[in-house]
Amino acid sequence: MVGFWFVFFFLYKQFDCVSLSYCCKYVYMDTHLMLFSAKELMKESNLSFRRGLAPHLKSLMGPWWYSQFDPIPEVSQSARRSLEAAFPAQERRLDALMFCVNEIFLYLDENLKLTPQSMVDKAIPADELEDMHQRAISSSLLAVATLIDILLGTNMQNCDNESSLPEQKLVSKARTATIYSAENMFATHKCFLQYMKSKYPIVRTATYSILTSFVKHIPHAFNEEYMKVLSSAILGAFQDKDASCHSSMWDMILLFSRKFPNGWSYCNVQKVFLHRFWQFLRNGCYGSQQVSYPVLVLFLDSVPTDVDLGEQFIYDFFQNLWDGRHSSHYSSANTLALFDAFKECFLWVLRNVSRYFMARDGNNDPAIKLTNDILVELLLNDYLMLPSLKKQDENLLVRSDVSADDGSQLTRENSKQRTSSSYEASYVQELARCIVGILVDISLEDRILLNVFSTSFQKACLEIIRRAECLQNFHEQVERITGFFLLLDRLVLQKGHDWPLQFLGRPLIMTTFPVIKSMDSPDAVKLLSVLIEIFGSVAILSNFVSPKDKVRVEVNMEHFLQTFNSDLIPWCLQGHSNSSSLKLDLLLDLLQDECFSDQWCSIINHSIKQYEMSDNSSHIEVLAMLIEKVRERIRTKTLVNLQSGFLPEHWRHNFLDSVAITIAHYSPVRSCHAQFLCAVLGGSVEDDQVCFLSEEACTNIWEEILKNLASFLSSFSFCWAELACSLFLCSESKDLLKLQEPSFSTTFAMAQFAFEVLKGSIYCLKIIDNNCSLVSSILAALFIVDWQYSITSQVCQDDSLEGSKNTTDIDVSVCATQNVISNDPKEKDDAMLNLGRKIHALRHSISSSFWKSLSADTRSRLGNIIVQTVRFVLLDTDDLVAPEISHSCCEWMLDILEIICHNKEELQILLDQLLSEGKSWPLWVKPFIHSGSILATVQEATSTGINEHSNYRFVAFIDKLIVRLGVNIVIAGFTETCTSVASPDTEIVSSFPSPYKREWLAAEMLCSWDWKESSVTESFLPLLNKYAKTEASIPEANITSSIINMLLDGTIMHGNYDQWIYFDSWKVPHNEAEKINDPFLRGLVSMLSSMFVEEKVGGNFAAVVLFEQLVDRLFMDTSIDQSCLRVLPFVISITIQSLLESSESNDAIANISLSSTQDNLVRTYIISWLEKSLSFPSLCLGKTEQNVGEWIQVVISCFPLRTTLETGNSIVDLLRHASNNESSLLLSLFRKQLSCYDASAAVDQISPISSSSGDLVSSLLVQIHQAKLTAVTVGYCWQEFVEDDWNYVLDKSHRWIELSVMLMEEIAESIDDAIVRYTTTDDLEHTAKKLELSVQAYDSLIISISTTALVIFRLVSQLEEHETDSTDTLHLLRLGKWADMKDRIMASILRLFFATGATEAIAMSCNEVFSTIVASSRLCYSYFWGLVASFVSNSPKHVKSAAAESMELWGLSKGSINALYAILFSSRPISYLQFAAYSLLSSEPMCCLSLAKESSLEGEGNLLVESDLSSNVELSTEGIFSFRDEISSLIQKPSAELLKMDLLSQDRVNLFIAWALLLSCLNSLPSSSKAREKIVQHIQDSISPTILDCIFQHIPLKIGASNLKKKELELVVEASKAANAAKHSITTCSLTLYVQSLWPVENETVASLAGSIYGMMIHRLPSYVRNWFSSLRDRSLVTAIESFTKAWCSPPLLLNEFSQVKETVFADENFSVSVNRSASEIIATYKKEETGMDLVIRLPSSYPLRPVDVECSRSLGISEVRQRKWLLSLTAFIRNQNGAIAEAILIWKSDFDKEFLGVEECPICYSIIHTSNHSLPRLACKTCKHKFHSACLYKWFSTSHKSTCPLCQSPF
């Protein structure tokens, strides 16, 4: 229809107006046939259009008007807009209608005569036709109705004015034509009755509208004949169940009833009207509640008075209306409409009662009867959820005339079910509002009816309360009564009406209170409280007299108090019950300001009297509840009737004080007692400061609580508990505790009682804060009990105790505690732990503001008690075995410091108390106060045993305290904040001069060195260095110099017997201090090393100051201080670089000119020391003076070296430049040793184990001096060396290294002898001791000498490896015996390496405990072994071969390979040694022998000395290959065990190293070797691919998988590291880099190694990886792994594959290969004579995870069967190949060649060459003579479970 009007305009523009008439016949066509836009055409319509339209208006106006009412909005709106566009003015449109009225009616009449078949000519589906027809009928009917309303309605009445005659004639003519046409249509279509029966709602709605228009404007058309038909149809229209029709239906019915009152007489009212009307109401108006309910009262009013419906009509009306409240169309809005309608209808009936009822008297009065039967029986009973209170008359609400058709019976049953269920809140609320609304109107018109309702209401409420125990919904019923009164208060009382009090409130109280009083119902009490709150206590109780007094008295306060005292107080306080809380609320609501004191006194007196008379705890419990409620009301200010009750003083009473004190001293205690004390004391929360007791009573109670806590503390077994009690109890109380000595049950009950009082009243202590002694003692007791619990829980860690924590419940009640706890120690421990846990929770729940509010005296005394207790725990007790006691005490102390110290001044005062001198503290440095400052003096440590143990425990405590508070607080004693000059953003705390400096404490910590939980180097020194960096910018804050001076004084005073020469002072990190015995020297060296070497915070100034102090002490008087001389090399070796840093800023200057006085001073001293050393004789045996060694050490310390160990390498650096004078003197000193070269050579030959005399020791001392002097001379003077110097250096270095070689070999032989002789019957412990004795043969002097020799060898190697300017000197070195000596030294180092490995391998072969003993012995010399390993990794191949061969010739029970594996997988690994072992095992000549067992090889023999071992090592083709036990034990572990490994555990690291070694060795083998094929086949068949799952445990692909295609930086760290490692291993075919960087083991390093292993595996074992990948079932994991491989691994792999195909696959006359990199394709072309085929190999983007695709692109002269066989053959070769694709192509070509040569294929795999082991078919069947591959035949036998030929089935 929209399209019609668009076409209408379009045709006008394109053609003439005549053509428009032809459009009209398409008006019935469906809109989708003509939907095209014509908005622009409509905008262009103008006056010319309207003038052109005029001649054709009559023919168009009918369809045009009809279209205005089309049910499709688009159509009707388009038609309307087009009409408005054609006739903009409303008058013109009206004129057009009047002008065309006949044509419009004619057109609409024709429409009504249409049938679906006659509408259009086109064949349209029947359902569409029907739809079009009903739209046409409804639109036509509405068009007629609207036209009648317009032309005959009130809008046409203005036609009688003084307008022109033509217009009057037009109007008159139009009205006449309208009436005439309408009457004809009415008659023609038989009153439109057929349309009222239509099944389409829109047709029925239109029919109702047109009948309404006829009734309204053409009533004369309804003659008697029509009336007989229409009356039943109209009044029976209630059967229409479509809600959309009801609005029009109601308009028709209401207008019909008013216009034709006599029309009711033509209808059978009972049958037609009532039956359908009741069904309509009972079914909720079929969903039209919003429309139908508001018009019900209009309908009642419209019913003619002469229609005799009788009284029953009213009852039926309300009952059916009521039944429809729970129809299926229920909603909140519908419920509101229902109750509004019910109220209006009920009030209308009361006002018009005479229309339906005859006048009667008494209870039969119609209004009274209606009130009882409708308002009470229906509304009130439903609201109160009551059944009918009286039996209805049989004629009342009769349903016999109503049939149960149309589902009404089901609706009624549903209604009953819903009525019996709980109502929705909105329904109940609206129902109550309806009742109240009716009562409000009744109260204004007839209070008799109000009294009737009141009587019924009271009876109903009384019945509910009496039957409380029998009613299921009692709670909800009382809630509804309460809600009803609250609604009355809101809607009636607040508007000034008082009838609810007179008729409802007061009568209900008087009726129900006796019943409520006799029952225990919280709901009933709540109802009473609400009534009193609404109506007022005095007003509602004004007539509340005793049952004996029947006289109504005047309201007065005296009568109210009488009622309050005699009835309400005893009832509300009669004991604890379910309703006690609400009764107490009621009692407080009844308190009045005028008589408050009397009322409160009565309440207290009654409660105390009842408690004293009966000794029943329930009375005191109720009183406690009442006081808590008073407190809450005071806090919330909800004492509505009181003006003077908002202060605690108003509620205090002497009786309360006396009872509270009595209860505090009462025994046995009860839970209600604690509850009462908490109630009267208050303080359960911080803002609760309401206390109902006097201060004296509070003090008395808290003193008793303190005694209870002290008694509980004394029951603990720790001795410091008694000290704690003595600190906060007076002497009288302590004596009383000793005299009483109660049982544990009593003590525990008292402690539980004290805890409950504290828990409920802890903040009440602020009220008595002026009694600082009492408050501080209570709080201290709380802290100490909490600490007792912490210590006890640490000591008692057994499982049974932990289990009992959840089983014993001590929180039941205080009175039950004494019966719960028995004499069982376990139960006692459980009980104490439970109580301690509660006190712990209580203590931590106290707010910080509470502590801040305490007075300074209270906090000071509390801190003093805590400090003394902590010191006693740490220093004076030995009964605490908990390992974390220091940590616990630190946490306690920090807690108390944070709580009680308001500023840093108070903090420092408390720290002074804590750190003050004690019996066993301090041990090394003693503090004393001088002139207000804390100074210190060094003391001799005499404490031993328990005192020393306590001291170290206290040191551990202080260490943790410093970690938490900082050096600036604990050591520097800062109290104020200032800004650092160097860094304004850095704030440090400072007050200069600070009286709280504690440098002595730092010195004590450094001397203590280590303790159980930590050590100086781990915790204290890093903090001290951090502070030193800060203090550098503030000279006044410097404490480090004072600490150093203290340590230096202690070192010199104690006398130093440690010699610097023994220590490896050249290594980095410099951690040799722990080997020093003297505590002061050890502390000094560690502090200086940390400051000047590691952190570099000392600087030149500090070093020079220290140097000057030390030199001054050295040359005191005329003698030399020997102690200072021994200290000097320790200090010089550390500070020399800082001492000379200003003069060495330019490294290019050869002759250094001194740039400062300090540098001149230092260098002057160095030269003088060199000259002093030269004055002594040579370091030869028997010719040394007493202090020559000390001076040599001083000289050596002035020329420092730095040795840096890296995995696989070591570097030796010089730390300073030596002047020419210094170098010359040093070289002279070195050459002076050559004089005793021959003499000392003889001593070198002495066995280090066999000789242990003093001569040997002296010789070793001489040699270590010589070795270190040689090292520094090589470093600083090598440019001046001559040939003799080099010979001496090389020869001595070799001899010194040989010392440790001989030592290690003798240890190995000793252990081998012990293990070989060991049997399983031997004593394990005895053998272990023998091994321990063997490894104790390590001589630290020999190791130190060899270490120095290795440093020398590294220095010489560095010179030889790197080109320098001094080529002449190096030329002398190369011309000499350097090459030969280098090999000899390297061989010695390898012998040393193999020997230590063999030692562990021998021990490991017997027992893991033995292996651990041997491996642990190396840990002390890790620096030495690191140097050894650095040379092993880089040793030449021929030296390795010689060393391995000599190892085999040695004759130990374990050989070289065993030795290397023992080091590689050591139980106590050293990373340097591990990598060295890996390097040897993965490189020639060891790699070919490091995988397979000897049984898997054809023979080992002397293969180690061959030049090309890989070509000679061939695995047995017939034997079964197996890995060595060291490898197989790792890679063949069960899958579950592999996956459960900790990701950074040693087992996981060893697993990855084993795989890295396997892959490296595999990579070194030629691709065509039998060894490689057999190893790969063994991996494929026997090794689980779980290693790949382990690898991806280290690569977080699921975290970063979505970003794998993006840049590397967007990956998580581990995934990025692994990706780069995988790519690197593919491109370089090496894993060495990532094995070398594995240590120290961290997440990133292990991830890198895992990624490199994955890259190597996917490169060298693609089929192995592909099989694992295809077995994965986790889709997200599959996607992540594929994305990772595609992004990082596949590109280099594809590039490598294509390159190999081009390089290795050569074309011949039969075969050629081409590569298409862009398409990732390889095209293989094979031609033979006149046959040939092209095979395309497509590599996936995620190669090799996804299988390669092979297809035949061209075939010539080859059968389809053979073509398919060759295709499958190539696919099998490629997919099974654990190598390059080029290899697979070549093997496949060879297979083709052999087939053309006549070689028979294997009938099982259809290949001549086997796809895996590349063998030929050799096993022939004796019957059919076919040959098979051995591997294929074995697989056939194992899968078929029979040993017959696959072809002829004969036995094979």
Side-chain angles (χ1 to χ4, degrees), residues 67-102:
S67 299
Q68 311 285 317
F69 305 95
D70 196 289
I72 298 177
E74 291 85 350
V75 176
S76 58
Q77 291 173 9
S78 298
R80 191 173 297 113
R81 286 195 295 265
S82 64
L83 183 62
E84 291 173 355
F87 304 101
Q90 184 177 357
E91 293 81 3
R92 300 285 71 81
R93 290 196 292 273
L94 183 61
D95 292 344
L97 289 176
M98 291 187 293
F99 178 72
C100 304
V101 62
N102 290 323

Side-chain angles (χ1 to χ4, degrees), residues 725-726 728-738:
C725 293
S726 66
F728 51 71
L729 281 182
C730 60
S731 58
E732 295 80 2
S733 299
K734 288 186 284 186
D735 295 338
L736 183 62
L737 283 178
K738 292 181 180 178

